[in-house]
Amino acid sequence: MSTTFFIPSVNIMGAGCLTEAILAIRAQGFLNALIVTDKPLNDLGIPAKVQALLSAQNVKSVVFDGVQPNPTMGNVRAGLALLQQHQCDCVISLGGGSPHDCAKGIALCATNGGEISDYEGVDRSAKPQLPLIAINTTAGTASEMTRFCIITDETRHIKMAIVDRNVTPILSVNDPELMLAKPKGLTAATGMDALTHAVEAYVSIAATPITDACALKAVELIALHLRTAVAHGDNLQAREQMAYAQFLAGMAFNNASLGYVHAMAHQLGGFYDLPHGVCNALLLPHVEAFNAQTSAARLADVAAAMGVAVDKSQPEAGAQACLAAIRQLALDIGIPASLSELGVKEQDIPLLAANALKDACGLTNPRPASQADIEGIFRGAMTA
């Protein structure tokens, strides 16, 4: 069986690499960029810094800072209108997963037309999006280098999963200097998002030797450096290692896809407007406990990558050690212990489960689930 490996054609990484990235943008011949970001980053002056660097290279730019934490169809429409008004020839996303996903939606609709909801599902677009350069400021989502785009449909109160080769950026940028001093809660949530990407990719039915190598190395780096990044946000080494970890995890899931953790977390984010990384962190041990029936040996490998001593001749014990290590890491970095703490309501679980089963991310989960199974996982995560 053949496989295809997706990744941006150019990826620039390392402390201080933003300047190099701006030169690469100019070398592409772009003259007028739409910078897609959020208001907190704009208030910190980071887009203005990027604009100044672009201006020095004779590249004009305009800032759209209307991206919400869970970007919506309305955000995409508003950004697209600004892009069209200023006749921009490229899009630069600046931030974490939310600006990147919103920018993907804008860039895809700019060339394909219609609403972003038209492209829900797998490879629904006909044309490449407007060229997108993704500059990352968090270490978690890996949206800067993937073919995944998650947009909230405000009417249906769900997160749409758009998995499309045409939303892959042409250039990804990971400068850990832009990640320094991020809030502890954001660092924790995005770090657990990266761990979830790696674990789900490793147990995926679409995993390959390439994605396996990326996933396990990502797990190893996260186990070694996430606690430090959360506790000491100004530690450049920890930030840089987490940047590499989330990128490796992105390489893994961009090609092996994900599983029920993401399928379920998308529903929580769309329905309650909850932080994606926190939802992933809470659901991860519960979903993998469900998957352990078919994936115990793989979960034991994850435990070993997290630094746990594992007897490979006893995979079931290794799987349980994996779940314990995940829970301990989440506890150590301050992740809430239960969905009930986030305001999730028991009566909403049947609808959440039904929508999760429609999410494209669940297609590669190693163990198929029924409506009752998904409801049971949600209920198990309601309490600590």
Side-chain angles (χ1 to χ4, degrees):
M1 184 181 72
S2 65
T3 60
T4 304
F5 196 81
F6 296 97
I7 189 173
S9 57
V10 180
N11 304 275
I12 302 175
M13 304 188 71
C17 73
L18 178 60
T19 301
E20 180 183 348
I22 298 299
L23 295 176
I25 293 169
R26 182 66 184 91
Q28 290 280 348
F30 302 127
L31 299 175
N32 192 3
L34 175 73
I35 298 176
V36 178
T37 189
D38 55 37
K39 194 172 187 304
L41 277 177
N42 204 11
D43 289 344
L44 289 172
I46 297 177
K49 177 182 178 181
V50 172
Q51 282 190 292
L53 291 169
L54 288 169
S55 180
Q57 297 299 320
N58 297 315
V59 179
K60 297 179 182 178
S61 61
V62 60
V63 173
F64 172 67
D65 70 350
V67 180
Q68 296 172 222
N70 289 304
T72 66
M73 289 179 61
N75 295 162
V76 172
R77 291 190 203 103
L80 179 61
L82 189 63
L83 179 145
Q84 292 170 336
Q85 176 188 341
H86 289 268
Q87 298 182 316
C88 298
D89 59 4
C90 68
V91 180
I92 298 174
S93 56
L94 179 64
S98 297
H100 297 322
D101 283 357
C102 186
K104 289 175 179 179
I106 293 167
L108 195 67
C109 290
T111 55
N112 284 272
E115 293 275 3
I116 190 59
S117 56
D118 297 336
Y119 308 105
E120 183 178 6
V122 180
D123 289 333
R124 297 287 302 277
S125 69
K127 303 175 185 177
Q129 67 183 0
L130 203 67
L132 171 62
I133 299 94
I135 302 173
N136 214 14
T137 65
T138 64
T141 70
S143 185
E144 83 283 356
M145 54 77 65
T146 70
R147 59 192 173 109
F148 284 70
C149 172
I150 309 299
I151 302 292
T152 297
D153 182 331
E154 309 98 305
T155 303
R156 293 184 290 162
H157 300 289
I158 65 167
K159 282 190 173 185
M160 300 179 294
I162 296 131
V163 187
D164 197 312
R165 67 186 66 200
N166 283 332
V167 303
T168 304
I170 63 168
L171 169 66
S172 80
V173 183
N174 275 281
D175 185 343
E177 290 184 358
L178 297 176
M179 303 173 187
L180 294 172
K182 287 292 185 294
K184 289 185 177 183
L186 177 63
T187 302
T190 53
M192 290 301 292
D193 190 16
L195 180 65
T196 305
H197 293 157
V199 174
E200 289 211 286
Y202 191 67
V203 301
S204 164
I205 61 172
T208 69
I210 298 174
T211 61
D212 285 352
C214 293
L216 288 181
K217 186 62 179 180
V219 170
E220 177 188 331
L221 291 175
I222 291 165
L224 287 171
H225 299 287
L226 179 55
R227 290 177 177 86
T228 302
V230 172
H232 306 285
D234 59 349
N235 187 310
L236 185 59
Q237 181 187 13
R239 292 290 190 183
E240 186 163 57
Q241 292 305 305
M242 281 302 301
Y244 278 111
Q246 67 89 35
F247 189 89
L248 284 163
M251 289 175 66
F253 89 83
N254 195 36
N255 296 281
S257 197
L258 295 160
Y260 288 137
V261 180
H262 273 77
M264 295 168 70
H266 288 159
Q267 312 321 312
L268 296 172
F271 199 82
Y272 299 106
D273 198 27
L274 293 171
H276 176 65
V278 173
C279 295
N280 276 342
L282 278 167
L283 290 168
L284 180 59
H286 295 276
V287 171
E288 299 317 322
F290 172 80
N291 288 336
Q293 181 175 316
T294 57
S295 305
R298 292 232 137 198
L299 291 171
D301 291 342
V302 172
M306 295 186 75
V308 179
V310 173
D311 182 348
K312 293 297 183 72
S313 68
Q314 298 181 349
E316 290 79 12
Q320 292 306 309
C322 173
L323 304 181
I326 291 170
R327 290 191 173 99
Q328 188 61 54
L329 177 58
L331 177 66
D332 290 347
I333 61 176
I335 296 291
S338 67
L339 291 180
S340 59
E341 292 180 45
L342 302 180
V344 177
K345 296 179 174 58
E346 186 87 18
Q347 62 265 32
D348 297 329
I349 287 178
L351 177 59
L352 295 170
N355 287 336
L357 286 170
K358 301 173 187 175
D359 192 294
C361 290
L363 296 174
T364 45
N365 197 78
R367 182 184 173 193
S370 66
Q371 171 83 15
D373 290 330
I374 299 296
E375 288 185 23
I377 295 169
F378 270 127
R379 290 192 176 95
M382 287 293 287
T383 57

